[in-house]
Amino acid sequence: MGTNDLDTAYFDEQLYVRNVAVDNVIFGYHDRELKVLLQKPKLLDKWTVAGGYILKTESVEEAAHNIAFMRTGLKDLFLEQFKTFGSPTRIKDEWLDIEKVFENAGLNPPTEAWIRDYSVSIAFYTLTEFSLVTVQKASFDEAIEWWPVAQLPRMMFDHALIIEEALKALQRDIYHYPIGYELLPRKFTLPEIHSLYETILGKTLDNRNFTRKLLSTGIIKKLDETRNIGAHRSPFLYKFEKKQYDAALKNGIFLGF
Amino acid sequence: MGTNDLDTAYFDEQLYVRNVAVDNVIFGYHDRELKVLLQKPKLLDKWTVAGGYILKTESVEEAAHNIAFMRTGLKDLFLEQFKTFGSPTRIKDEWLDIEKVFENAGLNPPTEAWIRDYSVSIAFYTLTEFSLVTVQKASFDEAIEWWPVAQLPRMMFDHALIIEEALKALQRDIYHYPIGYELLPRKFTLPEIHSLYETILGKTLDNRNFTRKLLSTGIIKKLDETRNIGAHRSPFLYKFEKKQYDAALKNGIFLGF
């Protein structure tokens, strides 16, 4: 049974931590586009980010990794916890509506009172190259799709806010962590990594300044190869310096573009 | 009853959210020193950051504000959530030791199983000018004291890690939020705000570059007054521009010192 299956065991408080969910905003990047992976549960006309409860035998980080793996089939993605949401009202009213939909469809909603009692969500974001992903539906989902972050469908609970905060955190973190290892090919050009940063930040970055700052961190290395991308355009290829990259991931760096 | 009193009601799951605590790393700044406010519970020889459980009627942010208020007597401090900690083992073993200490002292430890079952802590940090604070003990505490962040006493559970992560978050956030309003006098000199940033970051910042970047944000304003701080030294005073400051707090700015 996966953490995400909406069956009875899913609400079993012998197995799962009560009152606490993990939500994972899975961002996908490909060819200058940033998207987010959303699910639409059966019977409902709203979408959610990927989420689930925490097994009592796992840490919150392990739960978030498992959720990302179940939806994308990819392991060890860049994962960052950015905020925990919790208030008496964040899911309560809408949950009562959901129960009515279940009942009208002849289904039994879960009876455990804690589900509608108080809900804390520990939110993470994950980054992946979305062309690599084969998305995987949970048993309770009617659909799972990539949506542009600027054009979301109707979201359940406070999930629109969760995505908004995830994007803010990503835009902040991009100055401190060398995000990109998972999002670019192993060998890439400076214009490619420049586009990645511009897409995520949603703004233009001065080319010379960007390149100078990025090279000064020592996390990328120029190779002795070029790539032909058109008439008279053969930019050099670069790769990440794994050792420096890992140190920067651990300790943070400062990219003041 | 305060959220922090370790009496029976404190563990009452009718009142409090199960499995979830809020910990608040209260940083104090004064005269180029950064400290953290710690408590030592009676009977135990380890220290903790300020913490408590969440009433079912309050949001996690309200719980964190209440904890800061109960310990410092100050309201509306700068408060930032930075990470949530949760794993099957983060408090379990140590909690069993604590129960033994209670029992040996003839006290009844709480019987609710969820306390030692799985513990999630939503961690915040708070900033205050520590000379303004009259610290306030909880009923269960033997001591409450300011400790230098570089010289902590023996800490309970994973609280040393929580402080380490709080400091990392503060050092990251200082580039994006105009932290300082609560930490400086209403009118301050450029050397004073420069020292604040150097103390928190734990490193030297180029004076001209720092001043140029800070002024370019528009969050501080030069006044028509100077302060005499010694022979031939009368630097101009500055104050925060409340409107720009609030906007920067809300939307973030980017201080690439």
Side-chain angles (χ1 to χ4, degrees):
Chain A
M1 199 211 57
T3 309
N4 260 30
D5 291 333
L6 269 165
D7 57 26
T8 321
Y10 190 59
F11 299 106
D12 183 345
E13 61 177 79
Q14 300 299 320
L15 292 175
Y16 291 94
V17 182
R18 277 191 6 171
N19 299 100
V20 188
V22 164
D23 282 309
N24 197 340
V25 180
I26 301 175
F27 286 118
Y29 177 81
H30 179 70
D31 200 13
R32 305 188 182 200
E33 268 194 304
L34 185 67
K35 297 192 172 180
V36 59
L37 189 59
L38 302 179
Q39 302 163 221
K40 200 189 88 57
K42 283 171 190 162
L43 302 176
L44 304 172
D45 63 350
K46 290 184 177 177
W47 294 73
T48 69
V49 303
Y53 288 104
I54 304 162
L55 284 166
K56 286 187 180 176
T57 50
E58 67 187 358
S59 69
V60 296
E61 287 76 19
E62 285 166 342
H65 271 297
N66 287 343
I67 289 166
F69 175 64
M70 278 189 286
R71 295 291 158 265
T72 65
L74 300 177
K75 284 195 174 174
D76 299 321
L77 294 175
F78 178 85
L79 187 80
E80 188 72 10
Q81 197 201 110
F82 63 96
K83 191 170 180 179
T84 295
F85 299 80
S87 80
T89 54
R90 64 173 286 268
I91 73 158
K92 201 169 191 169
D93 294 346
E94 206 164 324
W95 186 262
L96 295 175
D97 293 343
I98 291 170
E99 293 195 347
K100 273 189 209 120
V101 174
F102 287 165
E103 277 162 18
N104 292 341
L107 295 170
N108 294 322
T111 52
E112 287 78 359
W114 63 270
I115 297 165
R116 65 189 77 85
D117 183 30
Y118 193 101
S119 175
V120 168
S121 164
I122 307 173
F124 290 76
Y125 70 81
T126 297
L127 293 175
T128 179
E129 220 290 2
F130 70 67
S131 67
L132 298 177
V133 174
T134 312
V135 297
Q136 295 175 51
K137 267 196 287 194
S139 62
F140 206 77
D141 288 333
E142 185 180 289
I144 180 165
E145 283 171 22
W146 290 105
W147 288 79
V149 286
Q151 211 179 324
L152 299 176
R154 212 152 75 99
M155 300 296 299
M156 209 179 283
F157 307 134
D158 54 358
H159 285 205
L161 175 67
I162 289 177
I163 294 171
E164 188 187 323
E165 294 282 330
L167 186 59
K168 271 195 205 168
L170 171 59
Q171 291 171 338
R172 176 197 66 195
D173 293 344
I174 204 173
Y175 287 108
H176 300 275
Y177 301 103
I179 293 162
Y181 198 80
E182 288 90 354
L183 301 185
L184 292 169
R186 208 174 62 82
K187 298 176 183 180
F188 52 87
T189 64
L190 288 178
E192 280 170 338
I193 193 167
H194 189 201
S195 283
L196 169 69
Y197 275 79
E198 287 193 333
T199 302
I200 290 176
L201 287 170
K203 67 179 183 190
T204 305
L205 297 169
D206 176 72
N207 200 19
R208 274 183 60 179
N209 193 29
F210 173 83
T211 305
R212 184 176 56 77
K213 289 279 178 104
L214 188 65
L215 289 174
S216 75
T217 63
I219 57 168
I220 66 168
K221 187 187 171 183
K222 193 176 186 175
L223 299 173
D224 216 13
E225 301 170 48
T226 58
R227 187 192 293 155
N228 196 323
I229 57 167
H232 310 295
R233 295 189 64 201
S234 297
F236 274 98
L237 288 166
Y238 287 75
K239 72 176 180 74
F240 284 104
E241 289 275 43
K242 191 77 177 108
K243 202 174 145 196
Q244 283 87 329
Y245 180 90
D246 287 343
L249 261 191
K250 189 164 168 279
N251 305 317
I253 46 172
F254 187 66
L255 297 162
F257 300 133
Chain B
M1 196 212 60
T3 308
N4 261 32
D5 293 334
L6 267 163
D7 57 26
T8 322
Y10 190 59
F11 299 107
D12 183 344
E13 64 179 78
Q14 300 299 318
L15 292 175
Y16 291 94
V17 182
R18 274 190 8 169
N19 298 328
V20 188
V22 165
D23 283 308
N24 196 340
V25 179
I26 302 176
F27 286 118
Y29 177 82
H30 178 68
D31 199 14
R32 304 188 182 202
E33 270 194 303
L34 186 66
K35 297 191 172 181
V36 61
L37 189 59
L38 302 180
Q39 303 162 220
K40 198 191 88 57
K42 284 169 190 164
L43 302 176
L44 304 173
D45 63 350
K46 289 183 178 178
W47 295 72
T48 69
V49 303
Y53 288 105
I54 304 161
L55 284 165
K56 285 187 180 176
T57 52
E58 67 187 0
S59 68
V60 296
E61 286 76 20
E62 285 165 343
H65 272 294
N66 288 342
I67 289 166
F69 175 66
M70 279 189 283
R71 296 291 158 265
T72 64
L74 301 176
K75 284 194 173 175
D76 299 321
L77 294 174
F78 178 86
L79 189 79
E80 188 72 11
Q81 198 201 109
F82 64 93
K83 191 171 180 179
T84 294
F85 298 82
S87 79
T89 55
R90 65 173 284 270
I91 72 159
K92 202 168 193 169
D93 295 344
E94 208 164 322
W95 185 262
L96 296 176
D97 293 342
I98 291 170
E99 293 196 348
K100 275 191 207 118
V101 174
F102 286 166
E103 278 162 19
N104 292 341
L107 295 169
N108 294 321
T111 52
E112 286 77 1
W114 63 269
I115 296 166
R116 64 189 80 84
D117 182 30
Y118 193 101
S119 175
V120 168
S121 165
I122 307 173
F124 290 77
Y125 71 82
T126 297
L127 293 175
T128 178
E129 220 289 2
F130 70 68
S131 68
L132 299 176
V133 174
T134 313
V135 296
Q136 296 175 52
K137 266 196 288 197
S139 63
F140 205 79
D141 287 335
E142 185 181 288
I144 179 165
E145 284 170 24
W146 290 106
W147 288 79
V149 287
Q151 212 179 323
L152 299 176
R154 212 152 75 102
M155 301 297 299
M156 207 179 284
F157 306 134
D158 54 357
H159 285 205
L161 174 67
I162 289 177
I163 294 172
E164 187 187 324
E165 295 282 330
L167 186 60
K168 269 194 208 171
L170 171 59
Q171 290 172 338
R172 176 198 65 194
D173 293 343
I174 205 173
Y175 287 107
H176 299 275
Y177 301 102
I179 293 160
Y181 197 81
E182 288 89 355
L183 302 185
L184 292 170
R186 208 173 61 80
K187 297 176 182 180
F188 53 85
T189 64
L190 288 178
E192 280 170 338
I193 194 167
H194 189 200
S195 282
L196 169 68
Y197 275 80
E198 287 193 335
T199 302
I200 290 175
L201 287 171
K203 67 179 183 189
T204 307
L205 297 169
D206 177 71
N207 199 22
R208 277 182 59 178
N209 192 30
F210 174 83
T211 306
R212 184 176 56 78
K213 289 281 178 103
L214 189 63
L215 290 173
S216 74
T217 63
I219 58 167
I220 68 169
K221 187 188 171 182
K222 193 176 188 173
L223 299 173
D224 215 12
E225 299 169 50
T226 58
R227 186 192 293 154
N228 195 323
I229 56 166
H232 311 295
R233 296 190 63 202
S234 298
F236 274 98
L237 288 166
Y238 287 77
K239 72 174 181 72
F240 283 104
E241 289 276 42
K242 191 74 175 115
K243 202 174 143 199
Q244 284 86 330
Y245 180 89
D246 287 343
L249 261 191
K250 191 165 166 280
N251 305 317
I253 47 174
F254 187 68
L255 296 161
F257 300 135

